Amino acid sequence: MKTRDRILRTSLALFNEEGEAAQSAVDIANALEMSPGNLYYHFKGKDAIIRALYDGFEHEMRIILRGTRGKITSIEDNWIYNYIILEEIFDFRFFYRNLGELLARYPDLAMRFRTLLAQKRRTITDLLHDLKKSNVLFLDPPMQEVLTDQILSAMTFWLSMDLIEGQHGEPAALIHKTVFQIMALVAPHMGESGFSAMQAMTAYYETQTG
Amino acid sequence: MKTRDRILRTSLALFNEEGEAAQSAVDIANALEMSPGNLYYHFKGKDAIIRALYDGFEHEMRIILRGTRGKITSIEDNWIYNYIILEEIFDFRFFYRNLGELLARYPDLAMRFRTLLAQKRRTITDLLHDLKKSNVLFLDPPMQEVLTDQILSAMTFWLSMDLIEGQHGEPAALIHKTVFQIMALVAPHMGESGFSAMQAMTAYYETQTG
DNA sequence: GTCTATAAATGGATAGAC
DNA sequence: GTCTATCCATTTATAGAC
């Protein structure tokens, strides 16, 4: 593997496990058993590494967001789709655990992240629209706005909440729990079928965790 | 005013406006037109200042959380109560905009914040319980759990979301919007009256924001 | 491409005079 | 209580040898 890629891989792992703030350029070099000088030959510094990592994240996320135009028409599809998004976020969790800090430090990334968030918002809107058309969901426009915000928030801060709460369990369980919480935001708007769908989800959730 | 209090007041203002991470001990001293040495005479460093500020926040918040045992029985009471909590959080917004960072740096504060969060959770649970008793709300226990999480999340990350989204408007409008979003989490569980209550809230919200 | 060595900058902290 | 002066530690960044 090329040195550049090794640096990115190791940095990502370090950031995810120990937190981005705790790692200096020298720490990264040490973890790679490489001199700081060499690290600086490949990347101008920690900033450049973080930007390169964000490039990767953004690229992947855009593919996911674009990949499902009009294909999500059932609650089950929706469930899977949420899973895919959350898995991707989890792979770059260092970024989401430090959002405020990072976006304040890199205004260019802040702008790009906002654009990505707007894209995500559009995807959620489309998705809710499709579910309404399939008569799975019943929402008036203002409530749809609010629900979109709620989903977007849940998808952005689940990792922060986990960090705050302390006891970290299995990543799979955390992602599963978060998907469940997102579905629970939608469930109350599913009318008659909503109650039973929620029951089924709860039951399913219980077999997964309890 | 005592020097100690001047330091706390100015630090809080600086942290809230410029972000905690951007301020060094020397910056704070400069803002107070005071030597760093003098600052260190009163506080062992930025750490001690932050801890003192957190003491204040925790004290106030505990009073608010305890202050309304069994007094919230209507949706309107609930609205006001949310307002009071969010105003208090806003006064110490630097803390909430940097939660991850700060709690990682001060494990003792992390522990205290978790305890406070648990207290808040209990308050929300009690509150939902009272609203159920008053026949305003209809929830089965698992859904109540989920709704509690949703409310707690909304109350914890509204400032982060505002920071990310960029264009900051009036603080009052932001708080108002957040209260509305929290009420919108509850509204779908209010049965027949829920729809009309939500309509009324939306109308009211619209008159407030334009 | 990779290393060693070192400079430059920053922020945290203290001693001692007033 | 407050100031000046200074020191220490950490991190970023570069020059030049191999």
Side-chain angles (χ1 to χ4, degrees):
Chain A
M1 199 192 309
K2 285 200 163 61
T3 304
R4 199 192 135 87
D5 292 331
R6 280 181 55 228
I7 292 174
L8 287 179
R9 276 178 68 95
T10 304
S11 299
L12 179 58
L14 268 180
F15 290 162
N16 279 343
E17 274 151 50
E18 315 287 341
E20 177 271 336
Q23 307 301 315
S24 72
V26 177
D27 291 330
I28 297 171
N30 286 342
L32 284 154
E33 294 183 331
M34 164 192 293
S35 72
N38 192 13
L39 184 74
Y40 271 87
Y41 171 80
H42 291 280
F43 288 96
K44 202 102 184 80
K46 217 174 76 167
D47 295 14
I49 294 178
I50 288 175
R51 287 204 171 79
L53 287 174
Y54 183 78
D55 287 344
F57 168 70
E58 192 185 64
H59 180 72
E60 296 288 319
M61 189 54 87
R62 283 198 184 287
I63 293 175
I64 294 174
L65 291 181
R66 266 201 292 267
T68 46
R69 282 278 153 74
K71 287 183 186 157
I72 317 280
T73 50
S74 73
I75 290 295
E76 288 72 23
D77 290 348
N78 198 353
W79 179 284
I80 303 291
Y81 188 52
N82 281 330
Y83 233 98
I84 294 169
I85 292 178
L86 296 189
E87 300 254 15
E88 181 63 28
I89 289 176
F90 187 79
D91 288 345
F92 292 83
R93 55 196 172 280
F94 83 91
F95 196 73
Y96 278 79
R97 284 181 173 158
N98 241 25
L99 259 188
E101 254 301 287
L102 283 174
L103 297 189
R105 215 159 67 225
Y106 310 107
D108 54 322
L109 289 195
M111 228 154 61
R112 291 168 64 185
F113 188 75
R114 271 180 210 126
T115 309
L116 191 62
L117 215 59
Q119 175 66 51
K120 213 176 272 182
R121 167 181 287 283
R122 242 169 291 132
T123 301
I124 295 172
T125 302
D126 292 351
L127 214 139
L128 292 180
H129 184 75
D130 290 350
L131 289 177
K132 270 165 74 178
K133 254 185 149 173
S134 309
N135 275 322
V136 178
L137 220 57
F138 306 93
L139 284 168
D140 56 3
M143 193 65 219
Q144 174 163 341
E145 272 282 308
V146 171
L147 180 59
T148 304
D149 278 340
Q150 289 169 355
I151 295 172
L152 207 56
S153 248
M155 282 189 161
T156 306
F157 297 112
W158 55 294
L159 283 165
S160 302
M161 192 40 115
D162 179 60
L163 199 64
I164 291 170
E165 279 176 344
Q167 67 266 19
H168 314 293
E170 280 297 298
L174 173 63
I175 293 176
H176 194 88
K177 174 185 156 192
T178 307
V179 173
F180 175 75
Q181 282 176 335
I182 293 172
M183 299 309 291
L185 285 167
V186 181
H189 306 280
M190 295 196 295
E192 277 305 299
S193 64
F195 186 75
S196 55
M198 189 65 206
Q199 297 280 61
M201 281 199 283
T202 307
Y204 180 68
Y205 180 57
E206 239 117 66
T207 65
Q208 296 286 316
T209 55
Chain B
M1 198 192 309
K2 283 201 165 62
T3 304
R4 197 191 136 89
D5 292 331
R6 280 181 56 229
I7 293 174
L8 287 180
R9 275 178 69 94
T10 304
S11 298
L12 179 58
L14 269 180
F15 289 163
N16 278 344
E17 273 150 50
E18 315 287 341
E20 175 273 336
Q23 306 302 317
S24 70
V26 178
D27 291 329
I28 297 170
N30 285 342
L32 285 154
E33 294 182 331
M34 164 191 293
S35 71
N38 192 12
L39 185 74
Y40 271 86
Y41 171 80
H42 292 280
F43 288 97
K44 200 102 185 80
K46 215 173 76 167
D47 295 16
I49 295 178
I50 289 176
R51 287 204 171 80
L53 287 174
Y54 183 77
D55 286 345
F57 168 69
E58 193 185 65
H59 180 72
E60 297 288 320
M61 189 54 88
R62 282 198 184 286
I63 292 175
I64 294 174
L65 291 180
R66 266 201 292 265
T68 49
R69 281 280 153 73
K71 288 181 189 160
I72 317 281
T73 50
S74 73
I75 290 295
E76 288 72 24
D77 289 348
N78 199 354
W79 179 285
I80 304 292
Y81 188 52
N82 282 329
Y83 232 97
I84 294 169
I85 292 178
L86 295 189
E87 300 254 19
E88 181 63 27
I89 289 176
F90 187 80
D91 288 345
F92 292 84
R93 54 196 173 282
F94 83 92
F95 196 75
Y96 277 79
R97 285 180 172 158
N98 241 26
L99 259 187
E101 254 301 286
L102 283 174
L103 297 190
R105 216 159 67 223
Y106 309 106
D108 53 323
L109 290 195
M111 227 152 61
R112 290 169 63 185
F113 188 75
R114 271 180 211 125
T115 309
L116 190 62
L117 214 60
Q119 175 66 51
K120 214 176 271 182
R121 167 180 288 283
R122 240 168 292 132
T123 301
I124 297 172
T125 302
D126 291 351
L127 213 140
L128 292 181
H129 184 75
D130 290 348
L131 289 176
K132 272 165 73 177
K133 254 184 149 173
S134 310
N135 275 321
V136 177
L137 219 57
F138 306 92
L139 284 166
D140 55 2
M143 193 64 220
Q144 172 162 343
E145 272 281 308
V146 171
L147 180 60
T148 304
D149 279 340
Q150 289 169 354
I151 295 173
L152 207 56
S153 248
M155 283 189 160
T156 307
F157 298 113
W158 56 293
L159 284 165
S160 302
M161 191 42 114
D162 179 60
L163 200 64
I164 292 170
E165 279 175 346
Q167 68 268 19
H168 315 293
E170 280 297 299
L174 172 63
I175 293 176
H176 194 88
K177 175 184 154 192
T178 307
V179 172
F180 176 74
Q181 282 175 335
I182 292 172
M183 298 311 290
L185 284 167
V186 181
H189 305 282
M190 296 196 292
E192 277 306 299
S193 64
F195 185 76
S196 54
M198 188 66 207
Q199 299 279 64
M201 280 198 284
T202 307
Y204 180 67
Y205 181 57
E206 239 116 68
T207 66
Q208 295 288 314
T209 56

